[in-house]
Amino acid sequence: MWNQSVGGASRSWRRVCAVSLAAALTLSPLTACRTSNSPPVYTPESTGSVVVVTPGPANTVGSISGTVSHEGAPLPGATILISSPVLQGTRVAVSNVNGDFTFRALPPGAYTIMIELEGMSTVTKVADVLAGYAVRVPTTLQLSSVAEAITVTAAAPAVLETTEIRAFLPSRNNAPVRRATRAPRNTAPMAVGPAVLQTPAAQSSYASALVQQLPPSRGAGPTTAPTTDACSCEKYARVEEGAFRRAAEEPISTFSIDTDRASFSNARRFIEFGSLPPVDAVRVEEMINYFDYGYPDPTDGRPFSITTEIADCPWSASHKLLRVGVQGKRVAREAIPPGNFVFLVDVSGSMQSADKLPLVQESLKKLVRQLRDDDRVAIVVYASAEGLVLPSTSGRDKWAIERAIDSLQAGGSTAGGAGILLAYRIAADNYLRDGNNRVILATDGDFNVGVSSTEQLQQLIEAKRKEGVFLSVLGVGTGNTNDAGMETLADKGNGQYSYLDSLDEAEKVLVREMAGTLLTIAKDVKIQIEFNPARVGAYRLVGYDNRILERKDFDDDTKDAGELGAGHSVTALYELVPPGGESEAGATGEAREEVPADERSGFDGATLARVKLRYKEPKADVSGLVETTVADSDASIFAASDDLRFASAVAQFGLLLRESQYQGSANWKSVIDLASSSSSLDTTGDRAQFVKLAKKAEELQARKIAQGNR
């Protein structure tokens, strides 16, 4: 039983304290910034001084923060409880290794603050929280008479007790429980934020003030709009568009599949905030592959099916458009192998804004809620140093996993390489021989300390990939986004790179497409198409510009290529020029490599192309081969399937955003008309959202042209 507090207030009410983390409390961008323009110091009715400073841009809520110390030394593990008539229930925090604590997104009002630590005297303060202000409450605790010899030892914030400190945390049934978690040996303490807890009643009302500061849906976008200056600090790999190739000289086209979708959601971020994306941020194949095209499931025992279709090209009347679609087999949730996941979360200073770490926290919790009892999750963070926040934990203990996620706060530089090393070590320690072993990196890609070069990280990730641990990347943020680096890491890690611009996108990637995002069913997937020169004068692959392979790479099983996730599909579009139109299309007469006559296929009169696909099972080293042929067709684009019409609309969208030299007669009306006419079976709403986005992009481009003509 707990005794009465020093101030005479009963502690029995603490039995109803929080059973889950307050996501709301970690998402507000409020920070206590001390500047020369800060309001003066004032002292409300409390013990000690309270400093009020002007925080960030929010103006409807305030915050309380402070540092707990004893004789000048910080006290980690202290319990801080706040209550107020304006709150539903009581909120609880635990001071971190620096003695710091923070309560964010607090409604204005009078608050009672109680600070206590076993062996120390309890201190109670009161303070008024004003809208748009941060209240700072420094607190000094004194030894109590019953434990004068107590020794306080700093510990990592996620490790809430050591042999020297005991911290009370509420259990699931609201009863206080001692949790005796010890810091791992040889692991240095790590300075991240305290675990923040709140009651179910308070949790139910958390959305009102705070969720508005997150990008909650497509169309809402991140809280920070990308600007021209911000974009100049973002890193994108240069994309050189592939030219038309003469089928007579170079009939064979080879490329690696790409199942990333990051380019579309990243471009959407720019458009939603009123600017067109940088040209190199637009990868047309990722925009096309963002959408589902209803391809049939495989029926022959292979992990995928192949679908082909041909019709007129909507942006060049005399050309044709060939669609090649690959559908990965869909796997029921209960049939997915158990997962050994390590969440590797960037908590560096660059992750402080609401569209970064707070969005990552809410997104990862969406994934946690999908976990099964036999899935396991560990959490590693990195900033100025790396550290283990949560050891590998069963998916049945979702409360503990979410609590650890909500405890994270941003600050420090970015030791990304060291964090990845630790994450892989934890994954290896908990390796599941017949399971899905994967590190999920959440970051803005800003690696600047430690193993930071792309080449070093690439070599590390490739080595771990061969050991059976894959890497997926969740990119976030605006201003310093390293798109090029994140794409490279995911590619070399046999994983997918996704960009989260909203909670809706997190729902799509981590809930709707969870199996495809987390379960690889085929690796090193390559496509090779040989065109019949009697039917095709020249061809151009739309997109995949950084995925082109040499012809010899197709049969080389040591050559790395793309991965296919469960239920994911891949779509490739080829623009085809009829024989005789090569020069008009600008097709080069020089082949990238000569194809000997005896290695060319023989075609019958009606065959337009032969499609080959190579793939490996996830743990195999030898590839399998699938082949099919494509018959020629003179179908109009308006007679084509809804899916081909929609894919052609998205391709035009990408060509226009790239200001491509190959856009032909592509225009926004064609994009919108084709997409609108092919959205009748839009069960997810993704296609309707695309139409709205295209209309907004049309307005932005018209404005840009008008400004350029002034």
Side-chain angles (χ1 to χ4, degrees):
M1 295 297 293
W2 292 357
N3 297 323
Q4 298 287 81
S5 68
V6 210
S10 170
R11 296 189 188 176
S12 60
W13 55 272
R14 285 167 33 185
R15 296 183 184 275
V16 296
C17 284
V19 296
S20 64
L21 289 174
L25 301 180
T26 63
L27 305 181
S28 171
L30 292 173
T31 55
C33 304
R34 300 172 185 266
T35 71
S36 58
N37 297 321
S38 298
V41 175
Y42 75 94
T43 306
E45 184 184 352
S46 63
T47 303
S49 62
V50 178
V51 181
V52 179
V53 295
T54 304
N59 57 10
T60 60
V61 292
S63 68
I64 295 175
S65 62
T67 301
V68 185
S69 62
H70 170 66
E71 295 183 350
L75 287 181
T79 300
I80 302 93
L81 307 98
I82 65 170
S83 58
S84 172
V86 299
L87 286 181
Q88 297 183 43
T90 301
R91 296 186 184 178
V92 184
V94 179
S95 60
N96 67 10
V97 68
N98 299 315
D100 297 330
F101 65 89
T102 301
F103 295 91
R104 294 186 172 89
L106 299 178
Y111 285 77
T112 299
I113 307 157
M114 181 180 291
I115 306 98
E116 58 183 19
L117 179 65
E118 187 172 341
M120 296 286 180
S121 59
T122 297
V123 173
T124 300
K125 300 187 176 187
V126 295
D128 291 329
V129 172
L130 306 177
Y133 284 82
V135 178
R136 182 157 180 80
V137 186
T139 302
T140 299
L141 298 185
Q142 302 299 328
L143 291 172
S144 67
S145 58
V146 295
E148 295 182 357
I150 188 170
T151 301
V152 178
T153 303
V159 182
L160 294 176
E161 68 175 43
T162 67
T163 53
E164 305 295 340
I165 297 177
R166 294 291 183 267
F168 285 97
L169 292 178
S171 67
R172 287 192 191 86
N173 60 6
N174 290 338
V177 175
R178 292 179 183 268
R179 296 190 178 274
T181 305
R182 297 176 181 270
R185 294 182 180 179
N186 302 323
T187 300
M190 174 183 47
V192 295
V196 182
L197 309 171
Q198 71 177 25
T199 64
Q203 188 176 24
S204 67
S205 64
Y206 109 92
S208 58
L210 188 49
V211 171
Q212 294 175 2
Q213 300 189 46
L214 276 177
S217 62
R218 302 175 199 140
T223 56
T224 305
T227 64
T228 302
D229 291 340
C231 298
S232 65
C233 298
E234 298 189 354
K235 300 175 184 178
Y236 298 96
R238 184 171 179 79
V239 176
E240 295 286 349
E241 289 187 289
F244 280 98
R245 299 287 172 178
R246 292 176 179 267
E249 285 82 20
E250 190 177 355
I252 296 177
S253 171
T254 308
F255 65 96
S256 164
I257 68 165
D258 181 10
T259 58
D260 293 344
R261 278 102 158 120
S263 181
F264 181 82
S265 51
N266 187 32
R268 181 174 60 203
R269 163 177 63 112
F270 284 92
I271 295 170
E272 293 289 4
F273 271 103
S275 64
L276 296 172
V279 167
D280 287 330
V282 180
R283 295 183 288 274
V284 181
E285 78 279 3
E286 292 187 23
M287 297 198 157
I288 296 170
N289 286 322
Y290 182 85
F291 300 93
D292 177 58
Y293 297 100
Y295 297 130
D297 285 332
T299 57
D300 55 3
R302 293 190 174 96
F304 44 74
S305 65
I306 300 177
T307 300
T308 62
E309 185 179 7
I310 187 168
D312 293 341
C313 178
W315 60 86
S316 186
S318 62
H319 297 177
K320 294 182 180 181
L321 199 62
L322 169 64
R323 176 177 65 134
V324 178
V326 177
Q327 175 64 55
K329 66 180 179 182
R330 295 171 174 86
V331 179
R333 185 168 179 265
E334 57 272 15
I336 298 176
N340 164 34
F341 303 122
V342 179
F343 295 167
L344 175 58
V345 183
D346 182 351
V347 293
S348 61
S350 67
M351 292 286 288
Q352 288 180 343
S353 62
D355 62 328
K356 293 187 178 182
L357 180 58
L359 179 58
V360 166
Q361 290 170 303
E362 289 303 294
S363 300
L364 290 179
K365 287 192 291 185
K366 285 179 177 289
L367 174 57
V368 169
R369 290 159 195 158
Q370 310 305 310
L371 298 178
R372 303 158 303 178
D373 290 356
D374 55 354
D375 295 322
R376 303 193 65 81
V377 170
I379 301 177
V380 172
V381 298
Y382 63 90
S384 298
E386 80 288 353
L388 178 64
V389 170
L390 181 76
S392 188
T393 301
S394 168
R396 76 169 62 90
D397 200 359
K398 295 178 175 58
W399 181 83
I401 300 172
E402 291 193 27
R403 182 188 66 185
I405 291 172
D406 275 343
S407 73
L408 307 179
Q409 288 187 334
S413 54
T414 317
I420 289 177
L421 283 169
L422 178 58
Y424 275 123
R425 191 189 79 193
I426 300 302
D429 289 346
N430 298 279
Y431 188 83
L432 298 177
R433 183 178 299 274
D434 297 318
N436 179 14
N437 301 278
R438 187 175 299 265
V439 173
I440 301 172
L441 169 61
T443 178
D444 58 10
D446 185 17
F447 297 92
N448 54 37
V449 175
V451 184
S452 58
S453 75
T454 300
E455 183 178 355
Q456 286 177 302
L457 289 173
Q458 178 177 320
Q459 291 172 352
L460 167 67
I461 292 167
E462 286 177 332
K464 298 303 179 182
R465 177 188 74 201
K466 294 175 182 177
E467 296 174 7
V469 181
F470 294 172
L471 173 74
S472 294
V473 179
L474 303 177
V476 294
T478 291
N480 64 333
T481 302
N482 186 350
D483 176 84
M486 291 187 286
E487 182 187 23
T488 298
L489 297 185
D491 290 345
K492 299 307 177 183
N494 277 10
Q496 185 178 11
Y497 165 39
S498 303
Y499 178 84
L500 306 182
D501 63 332
S502 66
L503 289 176
D504 273 358
E505 185 65 13
E507 181 80 16
K508 180 179 188 292
V509 172
L510 299 175
V511 179
R512 278 168 46 193
E513 299 175 357
M514 174 186 170
T517 302
L518 301 181
L519 178 62
T520 298
I521 58 172
K523 66 181 182 180
D524 294 337
V525 182
K526 313 166 193 173
I527 295 177
Q528 187 172 82
I529 300 181
E530 183 175 1
F531 293 98
N532 180 357
R535 292 279 178 175
V536 178
Y539 63 87
R540 191 182 89 85
L541 178 59
V542 181
Y544 296 93
D545 301 299
N546 57 1
R547 307 281 177 161
I548 300 300
L549 299 175
E550 298 295 329
R551 179 175 59 89
K552 63 183 179 180
D553 293 335
F554 183 73
D555 295 318
D556 182 359
D557 281 349
T558 66
K559 184 68 176 180
D560 181 47
E563 283 65 49
L564 191 66
H568 271 179
S569 63
V570 178
T571 298
L573 297 180
Y574 278 90
E575 184 177 349
L576 309 179
V577 180
E582 298 92 331
S583 298
E584 182 182 351
T588 175
E590 297 182 2
R592 286 171 294 196
E593 58 179 331
E594 191 66 30
V595 180
D598 60 352
E599 292 186 21
R600 299 188 180 208
S601 299
F603 292 94
D604 60 36
T607 301
L608 181 137
R610 178 170 284 106
V611 179
K612 298 180 181 180
L613 187 147
R614 279 203 177 276
Y615 72 98
K616 297 175 189 171
E617 299 286 349
K619 296 184 179 181
D621 295 320
V622 179
S623 65
L625 177 66
V626 180
E627 297 184 63
T628 189
T629 58
V630 182
D632 203 354
S633 169
D634 293 322
S636 161
I637 187 64
F638 302 105
S641 68
D642 281 3
D643 291 328
L644 177 53
R645 294 204 312 279
F646 188 81
S648 70
V650 180
Q652 286 188 84
F653 177 81
L655 294 173
L656 290 168
L657 290 180
R658 281 198 56 78
E659 301 176 356
S660 171
Q661 62 177 312
Y662 301 108
Q663 65 183 271
S665 61
N667 60 83
W668 293 106
K669 184 178 186 304
S670 175
V671 171
I672 294 166
D673 288 349
L674 283 169
S676 299
S677 70
S678 53
S679 300
S680 58
L681 299 178
D682 182 22
T683 57
T684 63
D686 290 342
R687 296 191 179 189
Q689 287 284 345
F690 172 79
V691 173
K692 293 179 181 178
L693 195 69
K695 291 178 179 177
K696 190 161 188 176
E698 179 184 23
E699 295 173 1
L700 293 173
Q701 194 169 75
R703 188 185 309 163
K704 178 180 178 181
I705 294 172
Q707 291 173 345
N709 292 334
R710 290 178 182 175

